[in-house]
Amino acid sequence: MSEELKKDLFELTNETFELDKINADEAAPLLLAYIGDAVYEVVVRTIVISKGNRPVEKLHRESIAYVNAATQARMIEALMESLSDTEASVYRRGKNAKSNTSAKNASLKDYHKATGFEALVGYLYLKGENARMMELIKKGLELVGVKTK
């Protein structure tokens, strides 16, 4: 396989659009959460569509089981012992970040934990640590009992 085909989405996007490098270690926690939310959503949608064709409304309803503050909060709580010191620090920075948005359909506590989880996903994505990101997402979903098959 050519090196071009082995590039991940982040690398390919940066090269295609000639974007400036983003230093994940220096990025604001809400920036990490912003991209992490989108990356996590793509992972979830990929899991959901792998189960076969269905009406979009059913796909959306199934996705909600994965993409909500309560589930993400439970996932990160279950994963805490598995995180490296750096990952735990990124999570805490995201959880403690002051956001101008409020929790919709979630407790404020879960919302903050979910923001921390999304910041961690964003951090790993920007660092190119996709295997670790996927490992944590899969383990988190398994630990909270969300079925991926």
Side-chain angles (χ1 to χ4, degrees):
M1 183 180 296
S2 75
E3 287 304 310
E4 190 67 26
L5 293 176
K6 290 182 183 178
K7 291 181 181 171
D8 66 28
L9 181 61
F10 182 65
E11 278 183 293
L12 199 52
T13 302
N14 280 323
E15 287 179 14
T16 302
F17 295 98
E18 300 174 2
L19 303 176
D20 292 335
K21 296 280 183 195
I22 298 169
N23 184 339
D25 294 308
E26 295 177 2
L30 293 178
L31 179 143
L32 297 174
Y34 177 76
I35 192 69
D37 175 57
V39 170
Y40 181 66
E41 178 81 24
V42 169
V43 171
V44 165
R45 287 182 182 209
T46 302
I47 292 167
V48 169
I49 67 167
S50 74
K51 298 176 184 179
N53 285 325
R54 287 163 290 161
V56 173
E57 66 189 48
K58 288 186 180 184
L59 296 171
H60 177 70
R61 275 199 302 272
E62 186 174 343
S63 294
I64 292 170
Y66 301 82
V67 184
N68 66 70
T71 297
Q72 291 173 329
R74 288 185 11 247
M75 285 173 66
I76 196 64
E77 288 169 355
L79 289 169
M80 286 306 292
E81 292 181 13
S82 303
L83 301 182
S84 70
D85 290 344
T86 300
E87 292 166 346
S89 176
V90 169
Y91 161 71
R92 280 190 302 275
R93 282 186 17 210
K95 182 182 82 150
N96 295 329
K98 300 291 184 226
S99 173
N100 289 330
T101 60
S102 61
K104 300 175 199 88
N105 305 319
S107 73
L108 196 54
K109 189 174 184 178
D110 281 353
Y111 179 76
H112 287 296
K113 288 179 182 179
T115 301
F117 170 77
E118 292 168 348
L120 176 58
V121 170
Y123 175 82
L124 294 171
Y125 172 74
L126 293 176
K127 294 288 281 186
E129 296 179 20
N130 295 312
R132 176 65 175 159
M133 178 186 72
M134 296 305 284
E135 173 189 342
L136 289 174
I137 291 171
K138 183 176 187 215
K139 185 175 182 179
L141 289 169
E142 289 170 353
L143 287 172
V144 300
V146 176
K147 295 186 181 201
T148 58
K149 290 190 178 195

